[in-house]
Amino acid sequence: MELRLPELSENNDDVVITKWHFGENDFIKEGEDLVEVTTDKATFDIPAPCGGKIKKIYKSEGDSIKVNEILAEIN
Amino acid sequence: MKILDLGLTRYREALKVQEDLLHKRIAGLEDDCLIVTEHRAVVTFGRLTGENNVLDKRYFEDRCVDFEYTSRGGNVTYHSPGQVLLYPIVDLEDKKKDVSFYIDFLEKTVSNSLNVLGVSAERGERRGVWVGGKKIAFTGVGFKKWVTYHGVSVNINNDIDAFLKINPCGEKDILVTSAKEVLGKELDMARVKNIFIEQFIKDFKEEYKRQDFIYGAKASRVIRK
């Protein structure tokens, strides 16, 4: 399953990846925080939409990301 | 809305309370809560911080001021007794899920509270709350599963000289003020806190009214993974 950046604001604020809580090949449970993203004044933890093995991470810490761009893939 | 006035706290002590309530709120074991506190002198860094925004580290070291790296948004700021901290732990899952809208709301309620105190505060083009071009309140929030934590700090009676030793919020050359400086007198902190609490409850109901009407109180108790 692909995890994409959800819409956090109607303002389309710039969003930056600030912390991956898990790495590739790690196992994660549904609902656990996978990645933290940050806008100008807010951090936002995005949970895993399903449990499984993290097959691929598409963005690094410090990268900018837009709404609906792919963050990671979970098997 | 549960209100929790922690009095004077160390930053980490209050953070632990926040995190505990945050996890309980996510699990549906707590209602929405507003934490109010004042911190012992501390410099805190948000996620977008560079240490280069501390202009005079020695100044803080000489005064035994702690440095804390936090999980909130935003950049560097300074807290000390006489500054009001509002840390709302509120669940937006069934309300308007919009990060900017929430920060706008926080700034509005702080501005409204300051106006009640006789301080002509307003929101500016840049984030924060301002009085005559000087910054008086600083936002930096966090979200987990659309439950909020961290919040906003407002200068009331506190020492503002320390802000000259940092770039507050990472912004160079901004001027900082306090209610005490604006009004030329110290304010009673108990009265100040009550005004902020009452205004927060009122504004939260109004700003998120439509969503409350649609979903009702039941939705706020939904247990989520």
Side-chain angles (χ1 to χ4, degrees), chain B residues 99-115:
Chain B
V99 169
S100 287
F101 182 86
Y102 175 70
I103 298 170
D104 287 347
F105 150 71
L106 276 185
E107 291 175 352
K108 275 184 205 169
T109 195
V110 165
S111 180
N112 290 341
S113 300
L114 286 167
N115 289 337

Side-chain angles (χ1 to χ4, degrees), chain A residues 8 10 13 31 36 43 45, chain B residues 47 71 98-100 144-145:
Chain A
L8 304 179
E10 289 172 2
D13 297 331
E36 177 197 84
T43 57
D45 275 308
Chain B
R47 281 286 193 240
S71 59
D98 187 306
V99 169
S100 287
K144 279 184 189 286
K145 298 181 173 68

Side-chain angles (χ1 to χ4, degrees), chain A:
Chain A
M1 179 184 275
E2 290 176 350
L3 173 63
R4 293 174 181 272
L5 182 71
E7 185 179 87
L8 304 179
S9 168
E10 289 172 2
N11 285 5
N12 279 326
D13 297 331
D14 292 334
V15 178
V16 177
I17 309 280
T18 41
K19 191 175 176 68
W20 282 99
H21 299 294
F22 290 81
E24 284 184 358
N25 298 318
D26 285 348
F27 285 88
I28 189 167
K29 292 177 188 168
E30 182 184 348
E32 280 189 304
D33 290 333
L34 174 56
V35 58
E36 177 197 84
V37 297
T38 300
T39 67
D40 179 26
K41 291 290 182 184
T43 57
F44 194 100
D45 275 308
I46 299 174
C50 63
K53 185 178 179 181
I54 299 166
K55 184 179 173 189
K56 186 166 175 58
I57 285 174
Y58 288 84
K59 293 278 182 180
S60 302
E61 290 178 3
D63 286 353
S64 294
I65 185 165
K66 295 187 184 307
V67 173
N68 211 31
E69 267 194 277
I70 188 165
L71 282 158
E73 201 175 334
I74 302 171
N75 264 350

Side-chain angles (χ1 to χ4, degrees), chain B residues 50-85:
Chain B
E51 276 204 8
N52 55 335
N53 284 316
V54 177
L55 305 175
D56 188 351
K57 199 171 181 184
R58 182 78 186 270
Y59 174 89
F60 297 106
E61 287 171 350
D62 287 349
R63 289 161 179 76
C64 300
V65 174
D66 293 334
F67 286 69
E68 295 283 0
Y69 293 83
T70 78
S71 59
R72 64 167 170 77
N75 207 297
V76 66
T77 194
Y78 175 73
H79 309 293
S80 64
Q83 183 191 56
V84 169
L85 277 295

Side-chain angles (χ1 to χ4, degrees), chain B residues 6-19:
Chain B
L6 301 180
L8 184 62
T9 55
R10 290 195 180 280
Y11 182 81
R12 283 192 188 191
E13 185 187 341
L15 181 62
K16 191 171 181 305
V17 175
Q18 280 194 73
E19 289 175 341

Side-chain angles (χ1 to χ4, degrees), chain B residues 82-152:
Chain B
Q83 183 191 56
V84 169
L85 277 295
L86 302 177
Y87 294 135
I89 313 292
V90 294
D91 187 357
L92 303 181
E93 173 66 28
D94 298 301
K95 295 186 168 61
K96 186 176 177 70
K97 292 196 283 190
D98 187 306
V99 169
S100 287
F101 182 86
Y102 175 70
I103 298 170
D104 287 347
F105 150 71
L106 276 185
E107 291 175 352
K108 275 184 205 169
T109 195
V110 165
S111 180
N112 290 341
S113 300
L114 286 167
N115 289 337
V116 172
L117 289 165
V119 176
S120 300
E122 58 187 6
R123 299 175 57 228
E125 287 179 8
R126 291 182 289 177
R127 279 292 181 201
V129 179
W130 302 77
V131 181
K134 295 181 177 179
K135 199 166 191 174
I136 194 166
F138 310 80
T139 49
V141 302
F143 292 81
K144 279 184 189 286
K145 298 181 173 68
W146 286 108
V147 178
T148 67
Y149 68 127
H150 298 294
V152 59

